[in-house]
Amino acid sequence: MKQLDTILGKALYWLIAGLMFAMAVLIFAQVLARYAFGNSLTWSEEIGRYIFVWMSFLGMATAIREKAHVALDILLQHLTGVSKKAVILFNGLLLLFLSGAMVTSGFYLVQYGMLQNSSAVRLPMHFVYSVIPFSGALMFYYTFREMAEAWKNAGGEKA
């Protein structure tokens, strides 16, 4: 399990870093084309927007993995025992519901995207939409793993 987490974590970091690099190069090329050559790239804004969407959704999964998402940390520091477990369970269930909804609705959106192409580059939209169920599945996995660890660790605390 730890090896899978390590591989997934590194792959996510490299993918997000690659997307950030691609976006920086794309924006630099757009600015260079506009001001140095007087002619802007018609497709750069669309590709940049799709790269940003991918970075955002993959970043959500990474934030859950790193426990950097918005959480109830202050409340959890003051709770112990059963009440702490209840808050962890409730928070985790909400995240599981959200990530499950992302997976389910994301698959429908991917199917709908098979009928669409983007306006500027004619990219099939299911490539863009596929990040939604993918990141939802990662979020589900990381949330479930985090809940199991927190539940196990909260059980050893004294009330």
Side-chain angles (χ1 to χ4, degrees):
M1 191 68 93
K2 291 234 183 238
Q3 188 176 12
L4 176 65
D5 286 350
T6 304
I7 291 168
L8 276 175
K10 285 183 180 182
L12 275 174
Y13 279 130
W14 278 104
L15 183 56
I16 292 170
L19 289 170
M20 286 178 144
F21 179 74
M23 189 173 209
V25 168
L26 182 68
I27 291 170
F28 177 75
Q30 168 65 8
V31 170
L32 184 68
R34 180 178 294 157
Y35 292 109
F37 304 119
N39 191 6
S40 65
L41 305 172
T42 57
W43 49 269
S44 63
E45 181 184 340
E46 187 173 282
I47 297 296
R49 181 172 47 244
Y50 298 151
I51 290 173
F52 185 74
V53 167
W54 269 75
M55 284 190 322
S56 299
F57 276 95
L58 294 175
M60 285 191 301
T62 304
I64 288 178
R65 179 183 185 272
E66 297 296 324
K67 298 178 181 129
H69 61 290
V70 176
L72 307 169
D73 292 336
I74 295 173
L75 179 61
L76 288 176
Q77 289 174 358
H78 292 35
L79 296 175
T80 57
V82 175
S83 58
K84 185 172 187 175
K85 284 183 180 182
V87 171
I88 290 169
L89 178 66
F90 182 70
N91 187 36
L93 289 174
L94 286 176
L95 281 170
L96 288 175
F97 177 77
L98 171 70
S99 57
M102 285 175 60
V103 170
T104 306
S105 59
F107 277 122
Y108 289 121
L109 195 57
V110 168
Q111 289 175 345
Y112 181 69
M114 290 182 184
L115 306 172
Q116 293 179 311
N117 290 327
S118 66
S119 58
V121 294
R122 309 301 301 160
L123 178 72
M125 290 303 290
H126 67 276
F127 290 129
V128 178
Y129 297 150
S130 63
V131 73
I132 298 170
F134 179 70
S135 66
L138 287 173
M139 287 171 57
F140 192 92
Y141 168 73
Y142 288 136
T143 300
F144 188 77
R145 185 194 55 143
E146 181 182 337
M147 280 178 60
E149 286 177 14
W151 189 268
K152 183 177 67 173
N153 294 338
E157 293 179 357
K158 295 179 181 167

